[in-house]
């Protein structure tokens, strides 16, 4: 029997989407190019933070299954593309996964099908990249023979308050009729839909959301650098500024940005603007500031190691929390990579503690993982709090025997040095 929905790409976006659709009663099938992902899901194992093994089991019991076979697209009413959009080694947008998915859909596209792109990309991707691939590969016309839409994902890993159901979702279509079909589909498991004028507006809205965060993170980081140079307590500055009930949105400094969205999406916007002859000067400045933060942390840590041991060579540095976000098992673009690399290059011995990550490799070198926090801190010369997981209690950090470099403004104590 043909599926109501086929989700292409079962990562941090596609699997939660599949879960929501199954919960709404849609006959849902997942397609992924990774045999490991597919076999894991078949065995009831989740590879995505925020989706429990027990929830995968419930999905399987409801009829969900995953496959690497594109034949599953045959007869599907709706196909949603949720594949990753990263960067090439040169830092340019990499749409290869989107293009491959579009070609797979085109080969099995039928009249009346709804195709939705959720992958984040620059304005024009739906109309100028996905649409031609679908039309040329199928001989059908978007807006006439099939429906094509764009709806940017708004998944926030680790957020238990805002889910797919209650987070407003932007929806757009290549025509008014396409948008209508997309609204009808998403309204089955999303409470509030926001209809954009067109796909370019929806694509731009997604980039703006994350670029807003990117720029403001850079602003606060640069303020933190200035405060360090001038002896001002940045954390007290932020506490005072955040007391204003209007006109100020609080952001906090840190060792750098990470994850699948914030470090990547602004690059898509900048690349698209550059191709059109427009220079986003704010983005360039933010990129430069954020790129400085891991080096700043390394410099501060090396100064502490020199103070404690006389020189950084052979000194023991312990990284606390290496994921890009608190209490999320994800190290994509984490600033822990450049921080660890900088310490290793200076001759320090680097280990890490993180309850979410079993293995961590930097420059081909596997770093030792500490199992017991207090023992590891007792053996370290300097500990560096990179990510404020819930397991890192404020009081315990402040009572550590080793020196502590706190990049999150969490700890207090005589041996604590703030970013």
């Amino acid at each position: 029997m043909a599926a109501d929905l086929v989700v292409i790409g079962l990562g941090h976006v596609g699997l939660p989407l599949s879960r929501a659709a199954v919960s709404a009663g849609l006959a849902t099938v997942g397609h992924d190019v990774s045999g490991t992902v597919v076999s894991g899901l078949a065995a009831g194992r989740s590879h995505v933070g925020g989706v429990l093994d027990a929830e995968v089991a419930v999905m399987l019991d409801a009829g969900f299954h995953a496959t690497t076979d594109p034949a599953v697209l045959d007869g599907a009413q709706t196909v949603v593309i949720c594949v990753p959009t990263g960067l090439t080694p040169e830092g340019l947008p990499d749409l290869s996964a989107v293009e491959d998915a579009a070609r797979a859909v085109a080969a099995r596209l039928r009249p009346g099908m709804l195709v939705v792109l959720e992958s984040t990309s620059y304005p024009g991707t739906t109309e100028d990249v996905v649409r031609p691939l679908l039309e040329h590969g199928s001989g059908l016309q978007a807006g006439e023979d099939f429906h094509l839409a764009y709806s940017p994902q708004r998944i926030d890993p680790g957020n238990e308050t805002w889910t797919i159901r209650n987070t407003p979702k932007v929806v757009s279509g290549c025509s008014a009729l396409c948008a209508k079909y997309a609204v009808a589909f998403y309204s089955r498991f999303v409470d509030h839909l926001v209809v954009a004028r067109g796909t370019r507006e929806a694509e731009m809205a997604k980039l703006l959301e994350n670029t807003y965060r990117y720029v403001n993170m850079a602003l606060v980081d640069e303020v933190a650098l200035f405060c360090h140079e001038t002896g001002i307590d940045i954390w007290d500055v932020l506490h005072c500024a955040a007391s204003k009930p209007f006109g100020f949105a609080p952001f906090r400094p840190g060792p750098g940005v990470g994850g699948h969205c914030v470090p990547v999406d602004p690059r898509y916007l900048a690349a698209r603007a550059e191709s059109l002859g427009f220079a986003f000067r704010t983005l360039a400045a933010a990129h430069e500031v954020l790129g400085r933060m891991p080096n700043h942390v390394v410099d501060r840590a090396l100064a502490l190691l020199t103070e404690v041991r006389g020189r950084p060579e052979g000194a023991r540095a312990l990284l606390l929390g290496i994921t890009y976000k608190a209490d999320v098992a994800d190290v994509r673009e984490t600033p822990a990579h450049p921080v660890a690399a900088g310490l290793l290059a200076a001759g320090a011995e680097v280990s890490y503690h993180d309850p979410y990550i079993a293995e961590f490799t930097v420059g081909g070198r596997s770093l030792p993982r500490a199992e017991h926090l207090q023992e590891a801190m007792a053996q370290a010369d300097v500990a560096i709090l990179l990510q404020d997981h819930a397991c890192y209690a404020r009081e315990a950090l402040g009572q550590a025997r080793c020196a502590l470099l706190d990049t999150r403004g969490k700890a207090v104590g005589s041996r604590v040095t703030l970013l």
Side-chain angles (χ1 to χ4, degrees):
M1 183 177 67
D4 294 331
L5 169 65
V6 174
V7 177
I8 301 180
L10 297 173
H12 73 279
V13 175
L15 191 58
L17 175 66
S18 299
R19 178 184 57 185
V22 169
S23 297
L26 278 71
T28 304
V29 179
H31 177 273
D32 201 285
V33 296
S34 171
T36 301
V37 166
V38 168
S39 61
L41 290 173
R45 296 192 303 271
S46 173
H47 58 286
V48 173
V51 179
L52 304 175
D53 290 349
E55 293 176 309
V56 173
V58 171
M59 293 169 63
L60 295 174
D61 289 342
F64 172 83
H65 72 276
T67 179
T68 59
D69 186 357
V72 73
L73 295 164
D74 289 333
Q77 293 184 16
T78 300
V79 175
V80 179
I81 299 173
C82 300
V83 297
T85 47
L87 299 172
T88 66
E90 297 76 28
L92 299 175
D94 182 2
L95 294 180
S96 58
V98 170
E99 294 167 347
D100 289 344
R103 292 187 185 98
V105 175
R108 300 175 184 276
L109 194 60
R110 65 170 182 81
M113 183 184 287
L114 170 64
V115 180
V116 185
L117 177 65
E118 283 210 6
S119 304
T120 303
S121 188
Y122 54 76
T125 300
T126 305
E127 293 276 5
D128 302 335
V129 178
V130 175
R131 180 172 184 168
L133 289 171
L134 294 177
E135 292 182 339
H136 295 162
S138 67
L140 302 177
Q141 296 297 309
E144 298 180 11
D145 304 311
F146 69 95
H147 314 293
L148 179 59
Y150 180 76
S151 181
Q153 60 89 4
R154 279 178 169 170
I155 301 292
D156 185 16
N159 193 327
E160 298 180 1
T161 300
W162 293 103
T163 65
I164 289 180
R165 167 64 72 177
N166 65 359
T167 300
K169 188 162 182 58
V170 175
V171 178
S172 64
C174 290
S175 68
L177 184 60
C178 291
K180 181 178 179 180
Y181 272 83
V183 167
F185 165 68
Y186 282 110
S187 64
R188 298 185 65 173
F189 52 90
V190 179
D191 291 337
H192 182 60
L193 300 176
V194 179
V195 182
R197 171 175 289 185
T199 59
R200 285 177 171 81
E201 285 76 12
E203 290 161 337
M204 186 64 205
K206 172 62 178 178
L207 293 187
L208 176 59
E209 292 170 18
N210 284 334
T211 300
Y212 169 84
R213 295 166 61 195
Y214 188 80
V215 169
N216 280 281
M217 287 177 179
L219 171 62
V220 172
D221 278 346
E222 192 160 34
V223 169
L225 294 174
F226 172 77
C227 287
H228 170 66
E229 293 293 333
T230 54
I232 298 172
D233 186 338
I234 179 59
W235 305 104
D236 191 56
V237 170
L238 292 171
H239 169 72
C240 294
S243 66
K244 185 179 181 182
F246 55 89
F248 180 82
F251 286 80
R252 299 175 69 82
V257 296
H260 56 276
C261 288
V262 176
V264 176
D265 294 356
R267 305 292 292 277
Y268 271 69
L269 179 56
R272 183 59 169 173
E274 183 178 348
S275 71
L276 299 174
F278 184 90
F280 258 108
R281 296 172 182 170
T282 304
L283 288 183
H287 180 68
E288 190 275 330
V289 171
L290 292 170
R292 291 166 55 190
M293 295 310 294
N295 289 334
H296 175 68
V297 173
V298 170
D299 290 343
R300 298 292 305 281
L302 293 178
L304 284 175
L305 289 173
T306 301
E307 180 181 325
V308 172
R309 287 287 301 269
R311 60 179 185 174
E313 292 85 357
R316 294 162 296 185
L318 174 67
L319 307 183
L320 303 180
I322 60 170
T323 63
Y324 86 88
K325 185 178 182 181
D327 299 310
V328 171
D330 195 336
V331 294
R332 283 177 292 179
E333 304 295 330
T334 174
H337 272 117
V339 169
L343 293 171
L344 290 170
E349 297 178 3
V350 183
S351 60
Y352 77 96
H353 176 276
D354 195 306
Y356 299 97
I357 305 299
E359 297 181 359
F360 189 54
T361 301
V362 178
R365 179 175 176 178
S366 181
L367 299 188
R369 183 193 186 197
E371 297 291 340
H372 303 289
L373 177 60
Q374 294 306 319
E375 292 181 9
M377 294 185 71
Q379 296 172 3
D381 295 310
V382 169
I384 307 169
L385 181 65
L386 295 178
Q387 195 52 263
D388 52 345
H389 294 322
C391 65
Y392 299 137
R394 176 186 176 97
E395 295 77 12
L397 292 176
Q399 296 172 2
R401 295 180 181 177
C402 66
L404 176 69
L405 174 59
D406 179 5
T407 71
R408 297 294 178 177
K410 183 173 185 177
V412 292
S414 59
R415 308 207 67 186
V416 175
T417 298
L418 297 176
L419 179 70

